[in-house]
Amino acid sequence: GRNVESMHLKIYDRWGELVFETTQQHVGWDGNYKGKPVDPAVYVYHLSVKCIDGQDYFKKGNVTVIR
């Protein structure tokens, strides 16, 4: 969004290994890790956002990869 000053998105597998990370809003995860498609499973995301008005947000949840 236009009101986002900075953001940090991390995605982890079920063993806690970081499989994706970005600080750019226009870059999303394509379901690959080290150039190969990940196995179907549940992955955890952590999203931290700082808005231009100084508010901070943190959201976490799960995403399921189905192939």
Side-chain angles (χ1 to χ4, degrees), residues 6-67:
S6 63
M7 59 144 292
H8 196 168
L9 173 65
K10 295 180 182 181
I11 299 178
Y12 300 91
D13 66 13
R14 62 182 168 193
W15 297 282
E17 184 173 1
L18 184 66
V19 296
F20 178 77
E21 182 175 27
T22 187
T23 58
Q24 299 177 13
Q25 289 186 57
H26 65 279
V27 176
W29 185 42
D30 62 1
N32 289 319
Y33 177 57
K34 294 185 178 178
K36 295 183 181 180
V38 297
D39 291 331
V42 176
Y43 294 82
V44 175
Y45 69 85
H46 290 180
L47 174 63
S48 299
V49 176
K50 181 171 183 146
C51 297
I52 58 174
D53 64 1
Q55 295 184 62
D56 292 320
Y57 293 95
F58 177 76
K59 179 128 179 144
K60 64 181 177 178
N62 299 319
V63 60
T64 303
V65 173
I66 301 172
R67 299 205 184 267

